[in-house]
Amino acid sequence: WLQRSPAINADEGATKGQQRLEFIRGDRSLEGSETTGYTTAKPFRERVSRQGDIINSDIWYVGAPASNYALKGYLDFTDARKSRTAMIYVGGNDGMLHGFSAKDGKELLAYVPRGVVAGLKSLSDKDYQHRYYVDGSPMTGDIRDNETWKTLLVGTLGAGGKGYFLLNVTNPSTFS
């Protein structure tokens, strides 16, 4: 996502790219402000919150599987997952699908779909104008893939663009 101009050397471009990545991850140390100004030491826009706005995405809850489908292997799947971490998933206009523990609200998952990566650079711009990124509502379902049952999450970019993504959220503690 990092565009280089002739005036920026490779080291400076790589540094700025890493700094933007840290900004998107929530680092606030390089945020300037309208009152104190923006400098080379504080070049990025000031945010009200690390969490991007949620406009059109509905919140989706996923707990232990609760159905009693009479399908091969499903009872074993539900028994094995009866104590899995309950999660709340939601799309954010910070470019990420977020997954929070329903127990304590701690973020356990943040996924950036490929379709929004090119636009993430503008999130740090001091003149940022709101954009939609991951604005669609996620949903989940259990499926059998050969002999293995899984819980899959489908999400869309919604107003953020044309695109969807599919994530295996069977076990949130091992998501990578």
Side-chain angles (χ1 to χ4, degrees), residues 9 16 25 74 107 132 150 173:
N9 68 42
K16 187 71 91 178
R25 288 179 170 166
Y74 195 72
E107 186 171 35
Y132 296 100
K150 301 174 181 177
S173 65

Side-chain angles (χ1 to χ4, degrees), residues 60-117:
W60 189 262
Y61 173 84
V62 179
S67 296
N68 57 354
Y69 298 133
L71 300 170
K72 182 179 177 184
Y74 195 72
L75 181 59
D76 293 335
F77 173 75
T78 58
D79 285 346
R81 302 286 177 250
K82 63 185 169 192
S83 62
R84 80 170 158 198
T85 302
M87 296 287 291
I88 295 170
Y89 296 101
V90 66
N93 290 308
D94 52 7
M96 293 174 249
L97 170 87
H98 297 276
F100 301 98
S101 165
K103 180 179 178 183
D104 61 14
K106 180 179 177 184
E107 186 171 35
L108 301 179
L109 179 151
Y111 175 76
V112 177
R114 183 181 309 180
V116 302
V117 169

Side-chain angles (χ1 to χ4, degrees), residues 6-7 15 41 46 52 68 73-74 76 81 86-87 101 105 119-120 145 154-155 158 163-164 175:
T15 299
E46 181 178 30
N68 57 354
Y74 195 72
D76 293 335
R81 302 286 177 250
M87 296 287 291
S101 165
L120 292 180
D145 180 11
V154 177
Y164 68 92
F175 185 87

Side-chain angles (χ1 to χ4, degrees), residues 18-163:
Q18 184 63 40
Q19 291 170 339
R20 281 192 180 102
L21 176 61
E22 296 306 322
F23 173 89
I24 290 166
R25 288 179 170 166
D27 181 358
R28 302 190 83 168
S29 66
L30 297 179
E31 289 182 28
S33 77
E34 293 295 322
T35 54
T36 62
Y38 294 95
T39 64
T40 54
K42 301 266 186 182
F44 297 147
R45 77 175 168 98
E46 181 178 30
R47 296 176 280 192
V48 176
S49 170
R50 287 183 177 106
Q51 173 65 51
D53 62 351
I54 298 166
I55 296 179
N56 293 311
S57 180
D58 290 331
I59 294 170
W60 189 262
Y61 173 84
V62 179
S67 296
N68 57 354
Y69 298 133
L71 300 170
K72 182 179 177 184
Y74 195 72
L75 181 59
D76 293 335
F77 173 75
T78 58
D79 285 346
R81 302 286 177 250
K82 63 185 169 192
S83 62
R84 80 170 158 198
T85 302
M87 296 287 291
I88 295 170
Y89 296 101
V90 66
N93 290 308
D94 52 7
M96 293 174 249
L97 170 87
H98 297 276
F100 301 98
S101 165
K103 180 179 178 183
D104 61 14
K106 180 179 177 184
E107 186 171 35
L108 301 179
L109 179 151
Y111 175 76
V112 177
R114 183 181 309 180
V116 302
V117 169
L120 292 180
K121 177 182 176 186
S122 67
L123 285 169
S124 63
D125 189 338
K126 66 181 178 60
D127 297 317
Y128 173 75
Q129 296 295 311
H130 183 271
R131 282 183 58 181
Y132 296 100
Y133 284 90
V134 183
D135 199 48
S137 299
M139 60 176 31
T140 58
D142 296 331
I143 64 123
R144 191 170 109 195
D145 180 11
N146 293 320
E147 297 298 315
T148 306
W149 280 93
K150 301 174 181 177
T151 301
L152 297 182
L153 178 143
V154 177
T156 69
L157 304 184
K162 294 180 181 178

